[in-house]
Amino acid sequence: MKNNKIKDEKYKRRNKSMNSLIHSELSSNIMETNINENRKINNINSINYNFYYQNYINFNNNKYQDNISNNFSFSTKNNSIDKNVFIKKKIKLKNLYGELFKENFVLIINEYGIENFTPHRKKYDGITKFGPNILENNDNIINDFQIYTLNMNIKTLFTIKYDNNKRKYYLISNLINKEEFQDLNIFIKLEKDLPILRKYYISLGKVNFSVEIKENNYLELKLYFEGQKKKSLIYDKKKKLIKIGRSKNCDIILKNLEYSRIQTSIYFNEKDKFWYIKDGFGDYQSMNGTWIFINFPWEISFHNKVKIGNNLFELSLI
C-alpha cells in the first residue's frame, strides 16, 4: 500500500510539473505572438509616420511639389495616419449660392494648401489664392483656384493663409480700397459678440456705419446712408447699450421693413472694460444679419458666412 501511495504522489508531481511546463510554453508562445503583432503594428505606424514625414518635408521642397500632391491625399485616406499630430484643423469652403463657385461646391484646405487637387500654382506654402485665370509677366500662374467668372483686371480676389506660428487660418481680401471693384468687397456675417479693438465698418444693407474707440473709452459711431456720410455720434461708457433697428425704442431707428426690431446692438462690458458689437439683441439674431467689411486679416472660426456681391459661401473649421 505504501508503495502505491508513493507511486501516486510521484505521478501527481510529474503531471503537475508537466502542466506547468506546458502552461509556461503556451504563455511564452502567446507573448511571442503578441510581441510579433505589436512589431507589425509598430512597423505599420512607423511606415505611415515616415511616409507622412517624408511628404511633410517634400511639401516645402519645390522639386517634389507636383509629384506628391496626389500622394498626400491618397496617404491620408489609406494609411490611417494620425493627422491630429500634424494638422490640427482644416478649412472647408462650401458654396451656398452665387456664380463664384459651382452649385454645392466644396473645397478642403489644410495647412499646406488645397487638399482636393493640385493647386494651379503647384506650391504648398500655406497660401491659397482665389482669382481669375491669368499669368504673371514671367508666365507663372498667380492663383491656386481659378474663378472664371471674374474680371480679368483682377489679379487675386481673396486669400486663405495659414499662420504656422499661431496655428490659425486667416481670410485676406486683396481688393481693399479699390473703388472700381466695390461690388467685390468681402463681408463676414457677425456670429458672436465682437470686441471693438479697431475701427470696423458694418453693413446693414442700404445703411452702413463705422465704430471706433476713442480716448477715455468713448465710442464714435459714424452713420452712412447709401455710401454718404450722414452723421457722427459719440457715446461714453455710461450709455452702456446702443440699439440699432426698426423699433421706436432704438437709439438709431431704421425705417425699413427689411430690418429687425433690433438689428444690431453695441454695449459696454463692465468686467473687461470693452465695447462689444453683436448681431441682434440678447438671444435673438437679426433677420438679415450684421456684416463686417474685411479690410484686415480675419481669423476663420468654426462657421463664417462670407458675402461677396451676390455670392455667399461658408468657411468652417473641420
Side-chain angles (χ1 to χ4, degrees):
M1 293 291 292
K2 290 182 179 179
N3 291 334
N4 290 335
K5 284 183 179 180
I6 292 169
K7 287 181 180 180
D8 290 340
E9 287 177 1
K10 286 183 179 179
Y11 180 77
K12 288 179 181 179
R13 283 199 297 271
R14 187 178 65 180
N15 284 343
K16 186 176 181 181
S17 61
M18 286 295 293
N19 288 334
S20 62
L21 180 63
I22 292 171
H23 178 74
S24 63
E25 287 180 355
L26 285 173
S27 60
S28 63
N29 289 333
I30 292 170
M31 289 179 63
E32 187 175 356
T33 54
N34 289 335
I35 291 169
N36 290 332
E37 288 297 323
N38 288 332
R39 283 175 180 171
K40 288 179 182 179
I41 293 170
N42 290 332
N43 287 335
I44 292 171
N45 289 335
S46 63
I47 290 169
N48 289 339
Y49 177 83
N50 292 331
F51 183 79
Y52 184 90
Y53 185 70
Q54 183 181 5
N55 281 347
Y56 174 78
I57 294 173
N58 290 341
F59 269 113
N60 298 316
N61 191 332
N62 292 331
K63 292 181 181 179
Y64 303 102
Q65 282 167 357
D66 193 32
N67 295 331
I68 60 104
S69 59
N70 293 326
N71 291 336
F72 175 72
S73 59
F74 172 83
S75 66
T76 57
K77 291 178 181 178
N78 298 326
N79 286 331
S80 64
I81 299 170
D82 185 8
K83 293 177 288 183
N84 293 325
V85 177
F86 300 94
I87 302 176
K88 300 299 181 184
K89 293 288 184 181
K90 299 179 185 179
I91 294 292
K92 181 173 76 171
L93 187 155
K94 181 181 179 181
N95 187 43
L96 300 178
Y97 63 79
E99 297 181 352
L100 286 181
F101 306 99
K102 294 181 180 179
E103 188 176 358
N104 299 322
F105 175 80
V106 173
L107 183 70
I108 304 298
I109 297 172
N110 61 33
E111 61 184 26
Y112 305 108
I114 297 176
E115 186 173 290
N116 305 50
F117 53 84
T118 304
H120 288 291
R121 283 193 308 132
K122 298 182 180 179
K123 291 184 179 180
Y124 294 87
D125 51 6
I127 298 172
T128 305
K129 297 182 177 181
F130 294 79
N133 179 20
I134 56 175
L135 302 175
E136 291 179 319
N137 295 331
N138 54 3
D139 291 338
N140 288 331
I141 297 174
I142 294 178
N143 298 303
D144 299 286
F145 186 89
Q146 296 174 352
I147 304 173
Y148 295 95
T149 57
L150 284 179
N151 191 324
M152 297 299 288
N153 294 326
I154 300 171
K155 285 188 176 181
T156 301
L157 177 58
F158 67 90
T159 301
I160 295 176
K161 183 178 181 180
Y162 180 77
D163 189 322
N164 193 42
N165 294 324
K166 297 180 179 179
R167 300 199 175 195
K168 294 179 179 179
Y169 294 90
Y170 292 89
L171 173 65
I172 302 170
S173 174
N174 294 95
L175 297 177
I176 298 174
N177 299 327
K178 293 186 178 181
E179 294 182 359
E180 64 271 27
F181 301 122
Q182 284 188 357
D183 291 341
L184 295 175
N185 284 336
I186 300 178
F187 294 88
I188 294 283
K189 187 178 181 182
L190 187 61
E191 302 287 352
K192 297 180 179 180
D193 297 13
L194 178 69
I196 303 175
L197 304 176
R198 52 172 296 140
K199 187 174 185 178
Y200 292 111
Y201 293 92
I202 312 297
S203 174
L204 303 177
K206 294 180 180 179
V207 177
N208 304 311
F209 65 92
S210 66
V211 287
E212 185 179 12
I213 304 301
K214 297 296 184 178
E215 293 181 2
N216 299 322
N217 245 334
Y218 279 85
L219 176 77
E220 182 180 28
L221 190 151
K222 291 183 179 180
L223 193 65
Y224 301 85
F225 180 75
E226 293 184 348
Q228 299 297 320
K229 182 178 176 182
K230 187 176 181 181
K231 58 181 178 181
S232 179
L233 303 170
I234 301 293
Y235 299 94
D236 64 6
K237 59 184 181 181
K238 293 179 181 178
K239 177 62 177 173
K240 292 187 180 180
L241 178 63
I242 304 163
K243 294 182 286 186
I244 304 171
R246 189 166 44 86
S247 172
K248 293 181 180 179
N249 296 324
C250 287
D251 300 276
I252 300 173
I253 300 174
L254 306 177
K255 297 179 180 180
N256 197 313
L257 292 177
E258 70 181 50
Y259 299 111
S260 298
R261 291 178 60 82
I262 302 178
Q263 184 75 20
T264 307
S265 54
I266 304 170
Y267 64 92
F268 185 78
N269 191 318
E270 290 288 351
K271 290 183 179 180
D272 55 18
K273 306 300 181 184
F274 270 104
W275 286 92
Y276 285 81
I277 182 170
K278 71 175 299 173
D279 178 52
F281 178 70
D283 296 331
Y284 297 95
Q285 290 187 329
S286 68
M287 187 163 42
N288 295 318
T290 299
W291 299 82
I292 302 175
F293 172 56
I294 298 303
N295 58 351
F296 57 93
W298 177 270
E299 180 187 339
I300 301 172
S301 59
F302 286 95
H303 295 288
N304 290 128
K305 285 187 172 60
V306 183
K307 182 168 63 174
I308 304 178
N310 295 323
N311 303 276
L312 183 67
F313 58 91
E314 185 179 67
L315 294 173
S316 54
L317 285 174
I318 57 173

